[in-house]
Amino acid sequence: MLLLGFLGGCLINTELYEQRAKELTDHDGDTFAQQDDCDDDDARVFPGADETCDGRDEDCDGDVDEGAVDAALWYGDTDGDGYGDRSDAGVLGCAAPRESVANALDCDDGAAGAYPGAAETAYNAVDEDCDGTDLTDVDGDGYDAEVVGGGECDDGDRGVNPGGEEVP
């Protein structure tokens, strides 16, 4: 009779036993039981997992996409020319912050007309194309124009320059 009472007691707790067994089971094979795993149907989601830019909480900390391993580096583009400021250290994130782009190629982020490939205006002391210099040798003969302190008197003719030969 004692045995029957013992078995009867076990049968009363069957539901609790099954619930506890379910909580202690790892359904997705990520080595974390359901009670510790915030998504026990996805093996990529578990405490300590790498976050990725996908709008999900892979590491079960309640935050989405923080410290994502595939986050991009974004650079400020205050002049809106599509080129980020070279001097900007950048910000990691899954989405671009306002006024930011994914490159740091702009030599003057305060001037929308200055960016890699922009048309260079000669003799204005501005490096519009971001090549590191202003256009001071229009004819490309290696001599800067007089207007910017060079020795070239005719910067529109390659044959006329301080190193050229005099033609009688």
Side-chain angles (χ1 to χ4, degrees):
M1 187 67 139
L2 183 58
L3 182 59
L4 199 49
F6 178 72
L7 289 176
C10 288
L11 293 176
I12 293 172
N13 292 318
T14 301
E15 187 177 317
L16 179 61
Y17 170 79
E18 288 174 358
Q19 175 63 33
R20 188 70 177 133
K22 183 178 177 184
E23 290 173 357
L24 294 174
T25 301
D26 177 17
H27 298 283
D28 59 12
D30 62 9
T31 73
F32 287 88
Q34 181 180 9
Q35 73 178 26
D36 299 322
D37 197 337
C38 59
D39 184 352
D40 203 32
D41 293 323
D42 188 339
R44 297 169 298 170
V45 178
F46 55 86
D50 286 337
E51 284 282 350
T52 58
C53 293
D54 61 0
R56 298 180 59 203
D57 177 20
E58 285 95 352
D59 62 4
C60 299
D61 67 354
D63 294 323
V64 175
D65 295 344
E66 88 290 347
V69 296
D70 59 346
L73 197 52
W74 302 98
Y75 302 92
D77 179 23
T78 57
D79 61 13
D81 61 9
Y83 295 90
D85 189 346
R86 283 183 184 169
S87 64
D88 189 345
V91 174
L92 278 173
C94 291
R98 199 168 78 89
E99 295 183 352
S100 294
V101 293
N103 70 69
L105 301 173
D106 203 337
C107 58
D108 185 353
D109 200 44
Y115 55 86
E120 188 76 55
T121 302
Y123 321 127
N124 68 350
V126 177
D127 178 19
E128 288 96 352
D129 63 1
C130 295
D131 69 353
T133 63
D134 178 32
L135 182 57
T136 57
D137 178 17
V138 173
D139 61 15
D141 61 6
Y143 297 93
D144 287 342
E146 287 178 342
V147 71
V148 292
E152 173 85 57
C153 62
D154 184 355
D155 200 28
D157 184 344
R158 283 183 71 91
V160 177
N161 60 59
E165 292 182 29
E166 286 292 327
V167 179

